[in-house]
Amino acid sequence: MDILSLLEVAQWVGKRIRPRKVLLAVEDNSEDALLLQEELKIAKFGYVITRSAEEALGVLRSRKFDAALIDMGLPMMNGVDLASKIRDNYPKTRVFFITGSSFINLEESTLFRVIRKPITANVLREMVI
């Protein structure tokens, strides 16, 4: 094997063994959660989907996530409050709001980004990677 071939093999192996990103999704609507699950599979992300902010906080205590996708309209503790807790306690976890609403009064920043529903695998890849 020549040197170029060895480099190509090393690059291929490096791409294959690189760990994939793991996302925490917080979505209380069953239909939206199923659609999100399908798109996360297509995008080839690892993921955990929870149905409430409280459940999400419990999962965060036991596992590391690269990003959190948070529905803004959660019951009990809303998405904004959950995002603040994640930012304060898990600063390496990137936070994205997901919403079907076209009217939001939240200024996007590097800490909080907004992804509009319906969410596609391509949008997930672009935003999260």
Side-chain angles (χ1 to χ4, degrees):
M1 223 180 241
D2 64 11
I3 292 175
L4 183 58
S5 296
L6 288 173
L7 287 173
E8 289 172 345
V9 169
Q11 288 172 345
W12 181 82
V13 168
K15 289 178 184 175
R16 289 289 186 205
I17 62 173
R18 188 175 300 142
R20 63 184 177 162
K21 296 204 181 274
V22 179
L23 279 58
L24 172 64
V26 189
E27 174 59 70
D28 63 317
N29 180 290
S30 297
E31 288 180 27
D32 286 347
L34 285 173
L35 292 171
L36 182 56
Q37 179 179 2
E38 289 303 313
E39 295 301 320
L40 286 164
K41 283 181 187 177
I42 292 168
K44 304 224 185 289
F45 285 115
Y47 63 89
V48 172
I49 297 178
T50 62
R51 299 302 175 104
S52 70
E54 293 77 12
E55 184 182 358
L57 290 171
V59 171
L60 278 161
R61 284 188 210 95
S62 64
R63 188 168 179 184
K64 179 184 167 198
F65 292 92
D66 296 295
L69 305 171
I70 303 170
D71 183 20
M72 291 184 73
L74 296 172
M76 310 268 295
M77 181 190 305
N78 68 42
V80 175
D81 291 341
L82 173 59
S84 293
K85 287 183 182 284
I86 291 172
R87 186 189 62 204
D88 292 344
N89 296 300
Y90 308 95
K92 291 187 178 184
T93 301
R94 294 173 61 203
V95 174
F96 298 87
F97 288 115
I98 53 179
T99 183
S101 174
S102 57
F103 302 103
I104 52 172
N105 295 324
L106 182 70
E107 189 174 314
E108 290 191 34
S109 70
T110 56
L111 294 176
F112 301 120
R113 311 287 323 253
V114 177
I115 303 174
R116 304 244 183 239
K117 295 177 187 178
I119 299 168
T120 65
N122 287 336
V123 169
L124 287 169
R125 281 191 213 104
E126 288 175 23
M127 295 290 286
V128 176
I129 291 182

